[in-house]
Structures are given as structure tokens and as C-alpha cells.
Amino acid sequence: MLKNTVIWRKEFGIESLLEEDLGTELNKVVVSHGVDKEGHTVCYNVFGEFQNKELYQNTLADEKKWKKFLKWRIQFLEKSFRKLDFSPTGINTIVQVNDLKNSPLITKKELRLATRQAVQLLQDNYPEFVARQVFINVPWWYFAFYSLLSPFMTQRTKSKFVFSRSTEALFK
């Protein structure tokens, strides 16, 4: 796995990606802010922002645009991970909060494809960087969507997921 990740990082151009200007359009979609009660940096993914037609058209309307979205997302994660503390007693994982309120995920093919590819990239190349994936405001259809994605995830990855139809999970 490590060998494959090293090859992927070189092919993907991670070091040069950090210097690329990929715009600020997605700064409302993914935000890193604060820490949880255990000290993990918290990254918020607000999928409802993709209801904004202009944002969706500019970032995910076709394959070229959603590939740029993936680059932006990887760049964001790389910058976040470089701030982690890898000392023996340090906090070296993050918590991701995925807000699915008003998410158009079920109706937007490109968003589904980009999400699926992002999940695969994260699982394959960023193992153990995420302490917990918290999904809030989960609509009924997401459970069906998750059942389609879950066969492609390891049991360890799935064990990190928390689902809540409200924001209650955040308080725990």
C-alpha cells in the first residue's frame, strides 16, 4: 500500500499541486475550523452548497471540472495534514463532518462520481489520517447511496463512520 501511495503521489504531482492556484470557489464547501474534544482538527464538508447552480456549473459540470475539484480537495487535505503533529504523543488524525442538508448528491451524476473517486483516493492514499467521519442531516436516500459505496470500503474505514439525521452526533 505504501509503495502504491508513493507512486500515486509522484504521478499526481503532490508537491507541485501544493503550489497551484486552484481558486477559492470551494472555500464554502470545505472548511477546516477548530478541534474536537480530543484535539483532532475538524474539517467540515457542506454538500448543500452544491445546490448553488453557478458553483456546481463552475466546479462539477463536466469531467474536466470535477477532476479539478478532486485536485482542489487533495490540495486542501495535503495542507491540512501537514499541520498535524506526528510526534509520539501528538494528534495526527482529523475528524471530518459531512453536512448533507440540502445535498444534491442523489441528483447530480458528476458529484456522485467525484465523491466516489475522492473516497477511493482517500482510502488508498491517506490511510489512517481520519479518526472519524461524522455525517449529519443525513437524508433517507443517503443510506441507499452508502450501501452502494460501502462494498468498496474496508471494514476499518466503515467503522469510523457515524450517521445522524440531525446535528446531535456533533455533541457526542
Side-chain angles (χ1 to χ4, degrees):
M1 188 174 192
L2 181 59
K3 180 182 170 187
N4 290 340
T5 296
V6 170
I7 292 169
W8 172 81
R9 291 178 68 80
K10 185 175 182 179
E11 289 173 353
F12 204 81
I14 294 296
E15 294 305 317
S16 61
L17 176 64
L18 288 169
E19 305 304 318
E20 278 187 57
D21 180 5
L22 297 173
T24 59
E25 288 177 299
L26 294 164
N27 289 352
K28 292 188 293 185
V29 177
V30 181
V31 178
S32 183
H33 181 74
V35 296
D36 72 356
K37 63 184 176 183
E38 295 171 354
H40 299 98
T41 298
V42 180
C43 174
Y44 298 90
N45 301 295
V46 186
F47 289 98
E49 290 293 329
F50 286 115
Q51 289 285 19
N52 177 324
K53 287 181 175 36
E54 184 178 343
L55 175 66
Y56 189 86
Q57 283 298 318
N58 291 339
T59 58
L60 292 168
D62 57 48
E63 184 176 353
K64 181 180 176 185
K65 290 177 181 175
W66 63 259
K67 287 195 179 211
K68 182 180 176 186
F69 166 77
L70 286 173
K71 285 177 71 173
W72 182 91
R73 188 69 174 101
I74 296 298
Q75 181 189 65
F76 179 89
L77 286 172
E78 281 287 328
K79 289 178 179 179
S80 297
F81 293 155
R82 289 171 188 234
K83 296 175 187 172
L84 297 175
D85 180 0
F86 291 98
S87 68
T89 59
I91 305 292
N92 55 22
T93 55
I94 66 171
V95 170
Q96 287 200 7
V97 176
N98 302 284
D99 187 352
L100 300 178
K101 185 175 185 177
N102 299 320
S103 173
L105 197 56
I106 196 169
T107 60
K108 305 288 187 179
K109 177 184 175 187
E110 296 83 3
L111 183 54
R112 287 193 315 271
L113 292 171
T115 299
R116 185 178 299 139
Q117 188 170 3
V119 167
Q120 193 66 49
L121 282 173
L122 293 172
Q123 182 173 290
D124 292 349
N125 300 296
Y126 296 93
E128 305 308 319
F129 276 101
V130 177
R132 179 98 36 234
Q133 286 272 8
V134 181
F135 295 84
I136 59 171
N137 300 312
V138 179
W140 65 269
W141 56 262
Y142 191 79
F143 294 101
F145 178 71
Y146 175 74
S147 69
L148 293 173
L149 280 180
S150 65
F152 302 103
M153 297 179 205
T154 65
Q155 187 58 42
R156 184 167 174 90
T157 297
K158 290 187 275 190
S159 72
K160 296 177 182 186
F161 290 7
V162 175
F163 297 94
S164 177
R165 291 191 183 273
S166 67
T167 58
E168 288 299 311
L170 295 178
F171 298 111
K172 294 178 182 174

